[in-house]
Amino acid sequence: MDPIHRGPDEFGHDSKDFADEAGRRRPSRDPLTPDFGQQTPQQVRMVTLVAGDLTLTVNPVDGSEVEPCPPGERPAAPVRRTPEERAARARAATPPVPPGPPVLQLPLLRRDEERERLTRLLARGRSVRLTGPAGSGRTALLDAVAADCADFAPDGVVRLSGHKRTATDLLYALFDAVHDAPLHRPDRALLLETLRSTGAVVVLDDLELGGAALDELLDATPECAFLLAATPEVAAPGADSALEEVFLTGLDRATSLDLLRRVVERQLTEEEANWAGDLWFESEGLPLRFVQASALLRQRDQLHTDATAYDEYGYLENRPADAPPAPEAAGESEVPLPSLGEGAAPAALLASRLSGAAQDTLRFAVALGGEVPHQAHLPALVGDTHADAALGELAGCGLLSPSGSRYRLAAGVLAQLAAAGYEDEAADRARTAAQHYAWWTGHPSVTPERAAAEADAIIAALARLVPGEGAGGTSAAVLLARSAAPAFAAGLLWGAWERALRIGQEAGRLAGEVAEEAYFHHELGVLALCTGHPDRARAELETAISMRGALADKSGAVAGRRALALVEDRAAGPAADGAFEASPPLGLPAVVPVSMTSAFADTAVVPRQEPMTVAVPSPAAGGGKGAARGGPLALIGGARRNLVAAGAGVLLAGVLGTVVTLGLTSNSDPQGGAGTSTEQEASDDGIYDEEVDTGEPADGPSTTEAPSGSASASASVTPSATGSESAPVGGVTPSATSSAPDTPSSSGSPSSPRATESSHKPPTSSSPTPTKTAGSPTPTETPTETESPTEDPEEPPTKPETPEQASGSTGAASGSPTGE
C-alpha cells in the first residue's frame, strides 16, 4: 500500500463500515473564508411610485429619478377600504403587546359624564377638542369614546397620532387609512377632492396643531367629525372655528384612592391612605401619578417578600435575576414609604428597582428624546437577548404611554430621568442607535413600511447627533440619514423624509462629506419638485449639480440635470402661440441668422407671423465678435425635447437656402475685383460651435468670396436702426440689407461707390479669417468674366420685411449707411 494514501484499514476501520458511518455523519461546515469571498452582493432596493403626475424612482445610490408619468401608466382612482380592511389596519396600528406577564388594564373611573357628552357631539357630526393636562387620562377616554362611535360614519373610526405631525402629514395619513392606493401619493388637488367625500370619525391624539394649521385640517375634511386631544400648551383654534371645547380635569380624592386600590389589588393601610391623600393634593388628582404610585407600592411589597419563601411553588421565578436583594438579605426589617417628593416625581425611584435591561432601555429612550425603540431592537441595542421583556416592566410601572403604533416615555418622565443622571452618556447611546438603525433600514429584508413605523426614533437619533457633536456623531448621522431617507420616501412618509434629508445635509456639511451633502441636496430638489415647489427644487438641484461636477460624479450629475430639465419644463408650462421656450438646449443658437430665415420665409419650417429683428455680428462690439439681440422671435412651440429637432430643421433649411441663393444670385466676381468678399470672422460666443465649420486662420487675404446679394453675405452685416455709420471691418463696410433669394439687392452691384472704393484697399494681416458655411459650395478661385445683374427700372423695389431692413436697404442703395 502506498504510505502516503492510507486507507481506513490502517486505523482499525473496515472500509465498508467506515463508508457507511461517514455517510450517516453530518457533513462538515465549509471553511468560512470562501463564504465571505463568494457572497452575493447586496441588491440595491429601488422602489418606483407615482406622485401626482410624476413617476418617482427612489434610487439610494445616485439619487432619486423623476419623470412625467405616461398616461397609460397612471394609477386608477383610489378605492375605499372595506370594514374588514380598516379593522385589520387599526389592529396593526396599535402598540405591540409587551412580552412577559400581561399588563394590567386600567379602569376608566368617573368619566361617564365626559364620555357621554363627547359621544353625543360626535353623533351630531360636531368636532370636539378635548383639552387636559398631561397625565389626565385623555388617551383612555379616547379609547372608550372610539368604541362607542364605531357605527356613526360610513368610513368608520380612524385613529391617528398627531405627535410631531403637520397638517399635511395628517391629511395623507387620513387618506391612507380610508383609501387603498398602493405606491401612489396623490397631488394636492386629488387629495383634497378625495377627502371632501370622506366621512369618518377621526380620533386624533397628541395634537400639536393650532390656529391656521388646524383650520386647514378641518376645512379639507368637511364630512368628518374630529375628536382632538391636546394639552393646554397647544395653540387654540381660530376664532371662526366651529370646534366644541371640552376640558378634562383630575380625579377627586375618593376616586384617586379607589384607582390606587384597584391597581395594587389590595386594601390600603392607614399610613398608605394618608400618603395617597397628600399625593392627591400635590398632583391635583392626575390619574398617571396614581398609576405610578401604585407601582411604587407593588415594588415595596416585593421587597418585603422573602425571596425563598415560595421557591418550591415557583411564584417568584419571574423575578429579574439582577433585581435588588430582599430586605432580609440586606439586614433591613422594613422598607419605608416613599416621600411625597418621590411620589410626585417617581421615575428615578421606579427605575432604580427595575432590571438592568430596563434601565438601559430608559437610557436609550432619554438619549432619543423620549422615543422608545421597538421591542425587537432592544436586544441588539442593550446587548441582552431577553431585553425585549424590559418593555413590559416599563409599561407596568406607568413609565410609558402609547403613541400611535409605538411607545414613548410618559409625561414628565424624561425630565425626571435626565435629572437623575440618565442623560450622562446620551451622545454615545444615540450614536449606537444610529449605527444600528443605519444597518437595519438599509437591509433588503426590511420593508419601507417597517422603517416608516420606526421613523420617530430614527429622526430623534439624527437630531441628537447633529448639533454640537464631533466628527464621529455627524458621520454616523450622515450614514443613518443616507440609509433611512430612501426608506421613508418609498414608505410614503414624506414628512419624515424631508426631516431626514435636512438633518443629513447639515450633518454632511459639518462632517465635510461633500458627496453625501450633494446627494441630500439632490433629494431635497426632487422632493420639492414632487410637492409643487419649482423654485426650491431649482435651487437644490443646481447646488447638487455643481457639487457633483466638482467631484467628477458623472452619474449623479446626469441624474441632477435630468431632474433640473423637468423643473424648467414644468416651470415654463405649456408654450403659448407656438413659441419656443426662452432657453435653447446646448448646440442650438439662441437666435436664428438671417440666412436661415429670409431664404425660406414662405415655407412652413419657420412661420413668420410678425416682424422680427435678427441679431448679427457687430463690428463695434469687440472687433466684430459680439452679437446684438433683436426683437422677439416667434418659433414653433413645444417641449424642450422637440426644440432640438426643430432647431436642426431650421439649420438644415438655412444651409439649403444658402445653396439655392448661391445658385440664383451668383455673379462669380473675380478675386480682387469689385465683388470683394464680405465674409467676416466667426463669432467666439460659442453658440455656433457645433453647427458652423470655422476655417483655419491664414496670414494672407481672403480667398473665399460670396456674392454680395447672397444670404451668407447678408448674414455678415449689422442692421443700423439709428442710421449711424459703422466702422469698416476688413476693408468692407457692411450694409443692413436682407434681400430675398430671387430679388438681387442693390448693395450687391459692383457700381456702388462704397464697394468700388473698398475693393482697392489692400488687405492687412489683421483681416478676419473667412468662414465657410457647412454644406455650401466653395466658389472657384479662377478669375472669370462676370456680368453684374441689372435691375429693371420699371420693376418696383422689393418690399422690406421690417422697418430696420427698409432703412438699411435705402442706405445701401444711396452709398452711405444713413441713406443720405
Side-chain angles (χ1 to χ4, degrees):
M1 176 177 289
D2 189 356
I4 298 178
H5 303 285
R6 298 179 179 179
D9 296 336
E10 297 188 16
F11 298 95
H13 300 285
D14 182 66
S15 301
K16 182 177 180 182
D17 297 340
F18 182 77
D20 295 341
E21 183 179 356
R24 292 191 299 269
R25 290 179 184 173
R26 183 178 180 180
S28 61
R29 178 176 172 83
D30 296 336
L32 295 179
T33 304
D35 287 350
F36 288 114
Q38 300 177 2
Q39 282 184 344
T40 304
Q42 180 174 334
Q43 300 294 328
V44 177
R45 180 176 58 192
M46 299 180 63
V47 179
T48 301
L49 52 93
V50 178
D53 58 345
L54 298 174
T55 299
L56 174 63
T57 302
V58 181
N59 184 358
V61 179
D62 298 325
S64 301
E65 301 176 3
V66 60
E67 59 183 357
C69 182
E73 298 181 5
R74 294 185 179 179
V79 180
R80 271 185 168 83
R81 300 184 185 274
T82 62
E84 292 77 13
E85 294 175 343
R86 293 198 303 267
R89 286 182 58 85
R91 287 192 299 269
T94 56
V97 178
V103 180
L104 180 65
Q105 298 296 326
L106 302 179
L108 185 64
L109 301 178
R110 302 293 176 92
R111 298 298 189 189
D112 296 338
E113 181 180 355
E114 292 86 353
R115 181 176 180 177
E116 293 177 0
R117 182 182 177 186
L118 294 175
T119 304
R120 184 170 60 253
L121 291 173
L122 292 175
R124 298 175 181 175
R126 306 292 298 274
S127 294
V128 190
R129 184 174 184 260
L130 179 64
T131 305
S136 58
R138 291 176 289 111
T139 302
L141 181 58
L142 291 183
D143 293 339
V145 175
D148 298 339
C149 302
D151 301 329
F152 284 1
D155 292 323
V157 177
V158 178
R159 296 293 303 268
L160 299 177
S161 174
H163 179 58
K164 297 181 180 179
R165 297 293 186 269
T166 63
T168 302
D169 295 338
L170 293 175
L171 288 177
Y172 277 101
L174 177 59
F175 169 83
D176 184 63
V178 178
H179 299 85
D180 184 16
L183 297 178
H184 179 207
R185 190 178 193 272
D187 55 6
R188 184 78 177 182
L190 180 58
L191 174 68
L192 297 180
E193 179 183 357
T194 306
L195 292 180
R196 275 194 293 269
S197 60
T198 299
V201 176
V202 183
V203 179
L204 181 57
D205 198 3
D206 298 324
L207 179 68
E208 298 181 358
L209 299 176
L214 182 57
D215 294 339
E216 176 188 356
L217 176 64
L218 298 177
D219 294 341
T221 54
E223 299 297 327
C224 292
F226 281 84
L227 176 56
L228 312 173
T231 58
E233 294 80 13
V234 178
D240 299 335
S241 177
L243 281 175
E244 296 283 345
E245 289 283 349
V246 176
F247 295 93
L248 194 64
T249 59
L251 303 176
D252 55 19
R253 179 172 179 172
T255 306
S256 300
L257 295 180
D258 187 17
L259 175 62
L260 188 62
R261 284 192 296 268
R262 288 172 180 265
V263 177
V264 178
E265 296 181 332
R266 64 175 178 82
Q267 293 294 326
L268 300 178
T269 63
E270 183 179 358
E271 182 183 10
E272 293 173 343
N274 295 332
W275 174 77
D278 296 339
L279 179 63
W280 172 83
F281 182 81
E282 179 69 21
S283 64
E284 298 181 354
L286 293 179
L288 177 63
R289 293 291 177 263
F290 285 90
V291 172
Q292 296 171 346
S294 63
L296 288 175
L297 294 181
R298 290 201 310 271
Q299 288 181 346
R300 182 169 176 264
D301 292 343
Q302 292 178 358
L303 292 175
H304 281 161
T305 304
D306 185 3
T308 61
Y310 302 97
D311 239 1
E312 55 180 330
Y313 300 102
Y315 287 157
L316 301 178
E317 62 181 2
N318 293 325
R319 181 184 178 87
D322 54 353
E328 291 77 7
E332 298 180 4
S333 58
E334 185 179 357
V335 178
L337 280 172
S339 64
L340 185 59
E342 291 174 340
L349 181 59
L350 287 172
S352 64
R353 297 173 177 176
L354 298 177
S355 63
Q359 294 178 3
D360 288 340
T361 302
L362 289 176
R363 290 187 175 92
F364 275 103
V366 172
L368 299 181
E371 303 293 339
V372 180
H374 191 275
Q375 60 189 16
H377 300 282
L378 293 179
L381 293 175
V382 175
D384 185 358
T385 55
H386 300 286
D388 54 346
L391 199 66
E393 293 185 58
L394 299 177
C397 293
L399 297 179
L400 303 182
S401 62
S403 177
S405 60
R406 304 175 58 257
Y407 286 100
R408 59 188 177 92
L409 294 180
V413 175
L414 177 61
Q416 297 173 26
L417 293 177
Y422 279 75
E423 201 177 11
D424 294 343
E425 301 178 353
D428 295 336
R429 295 186 182 276
R431 187 180 300 108
T432 301
Q435 293 171 351
H436 168 74
Y437 280 127
W439 166 83
W440 180 73
T441 54
H443 199 276
S445 63
V446 178
T447 61
E449 291 75 15
R450 291 178 58 191
E454 200 71 8
D456 291 338
I458 293 175
I459 298 299
L462 289 172
R464 166 69 71 170
L465 290 177
V466 171
E469 297 297 333
T474 53
S475 298
V478 169
L479 181 62
L480 176 56
R482 183 67 188 269
S483 178
F488 295 159
L492 296 178
L493 195 64
W494 283 16
W497 184 25
E498 181 177 4
R499 289 192 291 271
L501 291 176
R502 296 198 179 279
I503 297 176
Q505 183 269 327
E506 180 65 15
R509 185 186 65 82
L510 295 175
E513 301 183 14
V514 182
E516 306 300 335
E517 186 180 359
Y519 168 82
F520 293 121
H521 278 296
H522 174 88
E523 293 294 287
L524 286 171
V526 171
L527 174 61
L529 173 60
C530 294
T531 53
H533 300 87
D535 295 336
R536 189 189 309 168
R538 184 183 298 106
E540 296 287 355
L541 291 172
E542 287 177 350
T543 304
I545 292 172
S546 62
M547 298 177 71
R548 285 177 164 175
L551 296 173
D553 184 2
K554 296 183 179 179
S555 58
V558 168
R561 283 195 292 267
R562 288 177 179 173
L564 184 59
L566 183 58
V567 172
E568 299 295 342
D569 289 344
R570 294 175 70 87
D577 298 333
F580 272 129
E581 296 178 19
S583 56
L586 295 177
L588 189 66
V591 294
V592 181
V594 181
S595 60
M596 298 183 183
T597 57
S598 61
F600 285 86
D602 297 331
T603 61
V605 178
V606 183
R608 304 175 64 181
Q609 301 176 0
E610 59 182 10
M612 60 183 177
T613 302
V614 182
V616 294
S618 174
K625 295 184 180 181
R629 184 172 298 274
L633 179 63
L635 300 177
I636 301 174
R640 181 176 294 274
R641 57 177 175 269
N642 298 332
L643 185 57
V644 178
V650 171
L651 181 60
L652 180 59
V655 173
L656 295 178
T658 304
V659 177
V660 175
T661 305
L662 287 174
L664 294 177
T665 64
S666 62
N667 24 359
S668 303
D669 292 337
Q671 289 184 353
T676 306
S677 173
T678 60
E679 294 182 351
Q680 299 180 8
E681 184 178 355
S683 174
D684 290 340
D685 53 2
I687 61 175
Y688 296 96
D689 290 344
E690 296 183 14
E691 306 294 342
V692 179
D693 183 13
T694 304
E696 296 295 333
D699 296 335
S702 172
T703 58
T704 304
E705 57 183 270
S708 59
S710 64
S712 60
S714 63
S716 62
V717 297
T718 305
S720 176
T722 62
S724 61
E725 183 175 355
S726 301
V729 178
V732 179
T733 301
S735 59
T737 60
S738 176
S739 58
D742 55 348
T743 305
S745 173
S746 59
S747 63
S749 174
S751 61
S752 175
R754 267 312 220 199
T756 306
E757 180 183 355
S758 62
S759 62
H760 295 290
K761 294 181 180 180
T764 61
S765 59
S766 61
S767 61
T769 302
T771 59
K772 179 177 70 175
T773 305
S776 62
T778 304
T780 178
E781 298 183 4
T782 305
T784 58
E785 250 182 278
T786 308
E787 247 178 40
S788 298
T790 59
E791 295 182 349
D792 188 358
E794 299 179 0
E795 184 178 356
T798 305
K799 182 179 179 181
E801 295 178 354
T802 63
E804 291 82 0
Q805 294 174 353
S807 62
S809 300
T810 306
S814 62
S816 65
T818 59
E820 296 178 357

